[in-house]
Amino acid sequence: MPNPKTLISEEDIKARVEELAAQISLDYADKEEIVLVGVLKGSFIFLADLSRRLSIPRHIEFIAVSSYEHGSVRSGAVRLVMDVRRSIEGKHVLIVEDIVDTGHTLHYLIDMLKSRNPASIRTCTLLHKEHATEVDVKIDYLGFAIGDEWVVGYGLDYDEKDRTLPYIGVINPDD
Ligand code: IMP
Ligand code: MG
């Protein structure tokens, strides 16, 4: 398979992550601490870069979910595979996602974490497929809006491949 075609370059990702970190640092400047909840596996590289650029006290947690799939058709149901390790009650939570596609995953996570009474809950995603949305979710911090195509790299995969590409690429499954 040829290398995926570049959609967003390494330089553009770096610049945008810096902007997001600056905005988040500003918005949470008066808070004691922010709890970043990275959604595994896709967000691990974005979270690593974003968290290191924040200028505010931060605590890192991870959560893992899986989408129920019937054959190749997504049902929209989401299952919790791994939970955070520390209580988020009274904390300022920022969910960090790689990509919002239909919106079901983020919708599920917001609902679930909200029920644990955090002081606040916001969402940050590197990518959003605007035209694939099935459920509306509020995205507070967005890296880039993209088209409805399968992207890989910077943490995102296709069948576990291409997660460590330094840029966001588009794959053509027919290649
Ligand atoms: P949603 O529940 O449909 O919004 O899907 C969210 C999850 O599907 C993301 O967290 C990704 O793990 C995965 N996903 C959706 N689109 C892509 C893509 O283009 N590349 C890689 N993973 C994707
Ligand atoms: Mg994800």
Side-chain angles (χ1 to χ4, degrees), residues 39-43 65 96-99 105 156:
V39 186
L40 292 175
K41 299 177 194 171
S43 75
V65 291
V96 179
E97 254 288 30
D98 52 353
I99 187 165
T105 304
L156 293 102

Side-chain angles (χ1 to χ4, degrees), residues 37-156:
V37 177
V39 186
L40 292 175
K41 299 177 194 171
S43 75
F44 81 116
I45 293 178
F46 177 41
L47 179 70
D49 285 346
L50 184 75
S51 60
R52 286 180 295 176
R53 295 201 168 92
L54 295 175
S55 58
I56 48 170
R58 76 227 66 150
H59 175 95
I60 313 285
E61 288 289 336
F62 287 103
I63 207 162
V65 291
S66 92
S67 315
Y68 284 108
E69 290 181 33
H70 301 296
S72 61
V73 183
R74 277 240 164 89
S75 68
V78 179
R79 183 170 58 96
L80 185 68
V81 171
M82 190 193 92
D83 207 341
V84 294
R85 305 264 301 256
R86 196 176 89 164
S87 166
I88 56 158
E89 190 173 347
K91 304 287 181 190
H92 294 282
V93 172
L94 181 64
I95 302 174
V96 179
E97 254 288 30
D98 52 353
I99 187 165
V100 176
D101 183 358
T102 62
H104 287 290
T105 304
L106 198 53
H107 180 79
Y108 167 85
L109 286 174
I110 294 168
D111 265 13
M112 191 196 65
L113 295 177
K114 241 187 197 163
S115 72
R116 300 178 184 181
N117 301 316
S120 69
I121 186 155
R122 285 189 188 164
T123 59
C124 174
T125 182
L126 181 68
L127 305 171
H128 182 203
K129 294 185 192 175
E130 288 178 309
H131 302 294
T133 308
E134 289 174 12
V135 280
D136 263 332
V137 284
K138 191 162 158 283
I139 298 171
D140 298 289
Y141 303 98
L142 171 64
F144 304 91
I146 64 168
D148 193 3
E149 46 199 351
W150 199 265
V151 290
V152 293
Y154 201 69
L156 293 102

